[in-house]
């Protein structure tokens, strides 16, 4: 069935475009949701109006996405996790943890498909993560993973060294 899209649809087409889709997809999803109209004579004359409305909606959405993205640009998310002495985490930091941290710290709702994380983070260190807010809007954030056990042990080790140094000086 040929339809005219009323909005941009991922992997289907752009607003105002005439596309051939399966009848069931058009009948059950596109037409009832208002995402497309049948490509008949009357609607063919309205293509320009559809394109104009879609472009205005796209620009409005793009501005909202850029505003949300600017909040996160260059920010660092810190995670304290347990790891062994070599820095290998007992767990991992995945896109789910990153999404939860962004919601807690910045109050932004991020979807899993927006997070570009090649694989789960399984070591202590600093990592770059890309968030895709749309085809034209992406930001880089830093993810810093610290070892919570080693951070807690450092002061104890330092005090032992200081105690040993002071006993050597006294002797």
């Amino acid at each position: 069935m040929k339809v005219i899209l009323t909005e941009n649809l991922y992997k289907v087409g752009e607003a105002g475009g005439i596309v051939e889709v399966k009848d069931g997809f058009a009948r059950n999803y596109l037409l009832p949701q208002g995402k497309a109209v049948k490509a008949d004579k009357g609607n063919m004359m309205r293509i320009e109006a559809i394109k104009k409305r879609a472009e205005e909606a796209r620009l409005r959405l793009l501005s909202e996405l850029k505003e949300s993205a600017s909040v996160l640009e260059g920010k660092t998310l810190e995670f304290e996790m347990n790891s062994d002495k070599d820095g290998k985490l007992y767990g991992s930091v995945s896109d789910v943890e990153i999404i939860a941290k962004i919601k807690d710290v910045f109050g932004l709702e991020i979807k899993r498909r927006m997070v570009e994380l090649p694989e789960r983070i399984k070591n202590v260190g600093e990592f770059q993560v890309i968030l895709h807010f749309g085809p034209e809007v992406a930001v880089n954030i830093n993810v810093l993973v610290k070892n919570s056990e080693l951070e807690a042990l450092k002061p104890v080790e330092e005090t032992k060294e200081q105690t040993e140094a002071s006993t050597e000086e006294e002797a």
Side-chain angles (χ1 to χ4, degrees):
M1 172 184 289
K2 284 192 177 192
V3 294
I4 303 169
L5 297 176
T6 57
E7 59 185 68
N8 294 337
L9 293 175
Y10 182 67
K11 292 188 177 180
V12 179
E14 292 190 7
I18 301 171
V19 295
E20 182 77 31
V21 294
K22 294 190 178 188
D23 291 347
F25 181 56
R27 226 180 12 256
N28 298 323
Y29 178 70
L30 295 176
L31 298 175
Q33 296 286 327
K35 297 182 183 294
V37 293
K38 287 185 179 180
D40 58 14
K41 274 190 174 183
N43 289 331
M44 296 295 273
M45 291 182 210
R46 296 181 20 211
I47 287 178
E48 288 306 316
I50 291 171
K51 283 183 180 180
K52 184 177 179 183
R53 271 198 321 267
E55 183 63 18
E56 289 170 357
R58 187 188 72 77
L59 291 174
R60 206 172 30 254
L61 177 63
L62 184 62
S63 132
E64 292 171 8
L65 292 175
K66 283 183 178 179
E67 186 177 315
S68 295
S70 69
V71 171
L72 295 174
E73 179 66 47
K75 299 290 193 240
T76 300
L77 299 176
E78 291 187 16
F79 292 89
E80 286 195 12
M81 311 251 329
N82 294 330
S83 70
D84 62 12
K85 62 184 177 189
D86 297 326
K88 184 165 173 48
L89 298 177
Y90 292 127
S92 66
V93 178
S94 68
D95 51 0
V96 174
E97 286 84 13
I98 292 171
I99 291 167
K101 182 71 93 168
I102 289 172
K103 185 175 181 182
D104 290 345
V105 175
F106 301 103
L108 291 174
E109 293 284 332
I110 304 290
K111 295 185 171 125
R112 286 183 76 176
R113 63 180 167 77
M114 296 169 69
V115 179
E116 184 181 322
L117 188 62
E119 56 187 39
R120 291 175 179 240
I121 298 171
K122 297 182 181 182
N123 294 311
V124 171
E126 190 167 351
F127 305 89
Q128 289 282 334
V129 176
I130 300 172
L131 300 176
H132 295 280
F133 283 83
E136 302 171 17
V137 182
V139 296
N140 290 322
I141 62 168
N142 297 316
V143 173
L144 180 62
V145 182
K146 296 179 181 178
N147 184 343
S148 59
E149 290 178 355
L150 287 180
E151 296 298 320
L153 293 177
K154 280 185 182 177
V156 174
E157 291 173 1
E158 289 175 6
T159 55
K160 283 182 182 178
E161 291 172 3
Q162 290 171 354
T163 314
E164 291 173 1
S166 62
T167 53
E168 289 175 4
E169 290 175 4
E170 293 173 3

